[in-house]
Amino acid sequence: MVKNILTLLCASVLGTVAQAADPVGFSSGNQFKATPIEGQVHVTCEGFNGGGAATFTCRDVVLDPVSYDYFIGPRDARAVRYELRNLREDGSTRTKEDNYDGARGRSGAGINLWISTLFQKPLLAAGKNKISYAIYGENNREPLSQGDVTINVARNASRTCPTTHYNSADVNDCNSQYSVCQRYFQQFNNCR
């Protein structure tokens, strides 16, 4: 009986140590590359609403290997929420918080690391990103666990996509550089 209790106690302690040793960061790792991409698209528009032509030079900076990723943290079945606070190399800060899947030890959904739009802002910036994380349980004001992790975003050599041509039945496409460039970079897998 004492031997069984000691075995269970050792297994519990080892399980806790293993959980504490879980790597913290993102599922794709903690090293990213910011890669400038560019290329040119010629668009010919002929349709019921008129005709036209345009040439767009498309440019963007993409995050390799991914722009959205899961935050990986400690496994704790009690955990239901995370908060990330990033102090960027340029001195700016960005905070993200959402649901946390404690049993799996990760954010409930992928986090926007890089995409900037009118409605969303990225967590990361080029350079060193010092992220403080806190994992909370249900109705907890004090975190179940917390710590820091450094995520590096290095500048990468630029890539160029081949020049291409699109035909469109909608004259509005000849005035919509944003949507044409999105389609272009998607077609050429961000110039890979």
Side-chain angles (χ1 to χ4, degrees), residues 26 67 71 82 84-88 92-96 111-115 121-125 129 131 151:
F26 292 98
S67 296
F71 172 73
Y82 73 86
L84 305 178
R85 184 177 183 277
N86 183 15
L87 175 59
R88 299 165 167 180
S92 65
T93 59
R94 179 79 65 222
T95 302
K96 299 271 184 183
I111 298 169
N112 174 15
L113 301 179
W114 197 250
I115 306 298
K121 299 298 178 206
L123 178 66
L124 302 179
N129 295 267
I131 297 177
I151 308 297

Side-chain angles (χ1 to χ4, degrees), residues 7 35 46 58 62 69 72 79 99 103 115 126 152 156 158 160 163 170 184 188:
T7 302
T35 306
E46 296 288 336
C58 301
V62 295
D69 206 358
I72 304 298
N99 296 329
I115 306 298
N152 292 304
N156 200 15
S158 63
T160 302
T163 300
D170 185 353
Y184 173 64
F188 289 101

Side-chain angles (χ1 to χ4, degrees), residues 96-167:
K96 299 271 184 183
E97 58 183 272
D98 206 346
N99 296 329
Y100 189 77
D101 184 345
R104 296 173 80 180
R106 71 175 203 180
S107 57
I111 298 169
N112 174 15
L113 301 179
W114 197 250
I115 306 298
S116 182
T117 68
L118 186 60
F119 300 107
Q120 59 181 337
K121 299 298 178 206
L123 178 66
L124 302 179
K128 186 185 289 187
N129 295 267
K130 295 177 78 174
I131 297 177
S132 299
Y133 68 90
I135 308 298
Y136 296 91
E138 190 73 40
N139 301 321
N140 287 69
R141 291 178 189 247
E142 295 298 318
L144 297 171
S145 61
Q146 58 189 357
D148 300 288
V149 62
T150 299
I151 308 297
N152 292 304
V153 179
R155 296 192 188 278
N156 200 15
S158 63
R159 298 190 298 247
T160 302
C161 294
T163 300
T164 196
H165 182 267
Y166 295 144
N167 289 312

Side-chain angles (χ1 to χ4, degrees), residues 34-50:
T35 306
I37 58 175
E38 65 179 302
Q40 199 166 60
V41 181
H42 304 287
V43 184
T44 303
C45 303
E46 296 288 336
F48 69 93
N49 57 351

